[in-house]
Amino acid sequence: MSNHQASAHTPPPPELLIDAEADDEEVQQAPPVLRRPWLLLLGLILVALNLRPALSSMAPLLSDVSQHLGLSAAKAGLLTTLPVLCLGLFAPLAPVLARRFGAERVVLGILLTLALGIVVRSSFGEVGVFAGSILAGASIGVIGVLLPGIVKRDFARHAGTMTGVYTMALCLGAAMAAGATVPLSHAFGDSWAMGLGFWVLPALVAGVFWLPQVGQKHGAHHVAFRVRGLLRDRLAWQVTLYMGLQSSLAYIVFGWLPSILIGRGLSPTQAGLVLSGSVIVQLISSLAAPWLATRGKDQRLAIVIVMLMTLGGLFGCLYAPLDGLWGWAILLGLGQGGTFSLALTLIVLRSRDPHVAANLSSMAQGIGYTLASMGPFAVGLVHDWTGGWNAVGWIFAVLGSGAIIAGLGAGRALYVQVQSERI
């Protein structure tokens, strides 16, 4: 067996959470001191709850925002694209900031920038909508890289359980914002600005509960390992492309599914609830898919199944009679929960050690999310050109087919061929 080949029967990963500071020997060797673990756990859950509302709250109100501000469909597409693009562009900053200031301090500071982005987005017209979306996306990109490492470090003995808790918080935050934003806007006098601005409150609450963690870990750290060769490794690119293409479909759903359903005759409230329900059921497959995928010799079959479920749900929501809409939305949620958790699983399974996993995770998120941002933008352009939604099915087909092709490569029982060395 070559050194590129994994074992014939791949064991299940102990956790899917990747530590952004896995290359930092000082951080890894410093034992966590948890004086009040319940407070840390509560803070982690509250922070994780805030990693999706800024993204999923805009979608049900996108038509109202566009109409009020006079945005074209292309501009609306850009509005759904910018936060996702920032997830990729700013993710590599997370470990740099963490080594300089400490992960806990950075999470608190970025929570405040997230809150600022939400306020700016809802308060300063067209310029504010775009500037606030950029700031919110950048903030989520940084926190989204750091939070899993904190979870993994401080709850190492319960990493599997905490993976489920972390995933649950992400799904719950996205679902709450998708379902509640339109009713909130109605409650505040049909004000879309107040509906979007409401989500600053959970961010500030999370900041208050996170404040006791600041100072627990601090000071400058020194990088102890370097991983070379990822950008030249075909398998690493396959993992990255799978991450990016499945994420593109996910953020199309976050950004455009309510608008598509409104175009088919649903009210904004109904469309938001459908998105909310679809996101909630992701929890089932996001927890089950990695376990099932590690039962066989590789992950290729699981990748094909969950992606076909995703495409089936998307085409059903786009073309099928509305009588069966909830069934298609549930199928979509089950598929997308599986595609995302399998993308995280592949990063773990294709890496020989935590240092490689941290760098592969950075590559997959940085490049993958940048690629993913093109999907929502393409939907906006196609809708602008055609004046309808039917042609968007071609985007679904291209992205889904590309994800299957990349996944068939990434799902093989191999390791990325890189060098991990102390520096």
Side-chain angles (χ1 to χ4, degrees):
M1 183 183 298
S2 68
N3 62 357
H4 201 78
Q5 183 76 28
S7 60
H9 178 74
T10 308
E15 70 281 316
L16 304 185
L17 302 176
I18 303 296
D19 190 345
E21 295 181 276
D23 286 349
D24 195 317
E25 191 173 60
E26 180 180 339
V27 172
Q28 294 300 303
Q29 290 181 352
V33 179
L34 299 181
R35 297 177 182 176
R36 290 171 289 183
W38 64 269
L39 186 59
L40 173 59
L41 177 60
L42 179 60
L44 287 167
I45 292 173
L46 291 175
V47 174
L49 281 171
N50 283 277
L51 296 186
R52 291 297 180 267
L55 304 175
S56 61
S57 61
M58 176 63 77
L61 288 174
L62 187 59
S63 59
D64 288 345
V65 174
S66 299
Q67 184 177 1
H68 185 267
L69 298 179
L71 303 180
S72 66
K75 281 190 175 181
L78 184 61
L79 190 58
T80 63
T81 296
L82 284 174
V84 186
L85 180 62
C86 290
L87 292 181
L89 294 180
F90 287 86
L93 281 180
V96 177
L97 292 173
R99 292 182 185 117
R100 177 65 180 86
F101 301 105
E104 285 77 8
R105 289 180 179 177
V106 174
V107 168
L108 179 62
I110 299 299
L111 265 178
L112 297 179
T113 65
L114 173 60
L116 177 62
I118 294 172
V119 171
V120 169
R121 186 176 68 169
S122 60
S123 304
F124 296 99
E126 181 176 344
V127 173
V129 163
F130 284 96
S133 296
I134 292 173
L135 192 56
S139 302
I140 295 168
V142 173
I143 296 178
V145 173
L146 291 180
L147 207 61
I150 297 173
V151 174
K152 182 178 176 182
R153 182 196 67 204
D154 291 338
F155 295 95
R157 296 181 180 179
H158 307 283
T161 301
M162 288 303 302
T163 299
V165 171
Y166 177 74
T167 306
M168 185 183 300
L170 289 178
C171 292
L172 184 59
M176 287 193 307
T181 299
V182 173
L184 283 169
S185 70
H186 291 331
F188 289 113
D190 290 326
S191 169
W192 62 264
M194 292 297 293
L196 293 178
F198 172 85
W199 300 103
V200 71
L201 297 179
L204 293 176
V205 170
V208 170
F209 280 91
W210 188 256
L211 186 61
Q213 307 306 322
V214 176
Q216 297 296 316
K217 299 278 182 180
H218 57 83
H221 306 307
H222 304 285
V223 178
F225 287 87
R226 176 187 295 134
V227 174
R228 292 181 175 180
L230 272 181
L231 293 178
R232 298 188 300 273
D233 188 86
R234 182 179 180 183
L235 181 59
W237 277 104
Q238 290 167 336
V239 172
T240 298
L241 288 174
Y242 176 72
M243 169 66 85
L245 292 170
Q246 66 83 25
S247 294
S248 191
L249 289 174
Y251 288 111
I252 287 174
V253 170
F254 275 136
W256 286 109
L257 181 61
S259 296
I260 292 173
L261 296 178
I262 291 169
R264 297 198 64 196
L266 270 65
S267 69
T269 300
Q270 291 172 325
L273 288 175
V274 170
L275 175 59
S276 178
S278 183
V279 173
I280 278 290
V281 300
Q282 288 186 19
L283 182 61
I284 300 171
S285 54
S286 66
L287 297 178
W291 185 85
L292 292 173
T294 52
R295 299 302 98 186
K297 65 178 182 179
D298 59 36
Q299 290 72 50
R300 287 177 290 184
L301 178 61
I303 286 169
V304 172
I305 290 174
V306 295
M307 188 53 64
L308 290 178
M309 291 172 64
T310 298
L311 289 175
L314 286 169
F315 286 125
C317 290
L318 185 59
Y319 299 121
L322 291 178
D323 291 345
L325 178 60
W326 273 102
W328 295 114
I330 290 172
L331 180 65
L332 173 62
L334 292 174
Q336 291 200 308
T339 58
F340 175 67
S341 59
L342 282 180
L344 298 180
T345 305
L346 292 176
I347 294 173
V348 176
L349 294 179
R350 300 292 87 90
S351 304
R352 286 189 178 276
D353 58 54
H355 310 296
V356 174
N359 283 268
L360 182 56
S361 178
S362 178
M363 175 180 174
Q365 291 187 70
I367 298 175
Y369 285 143
T370 303
L371 173 65
S373 67
M374 297 301 103
F377 186 60
V379 170
L381 286 179
V382 169
H383 178 58
D384 208 14
W385 290 338
T386 65
W389 297 107
N390 286 341
V392 171
W394 288 102
I395 298 176
F396 297 160
V398 170
L399 293 175
S401 299
I404 290 175
I405 293 171
L408 288 174
R412 296 170 297 160
L414 305 174
Y415 287 124
V416 293
Q417 188 86 331
V418 297
Q419 293 180 335
S420 181
E421 59 187 19
R422 185 185 299 271
I423 58 175

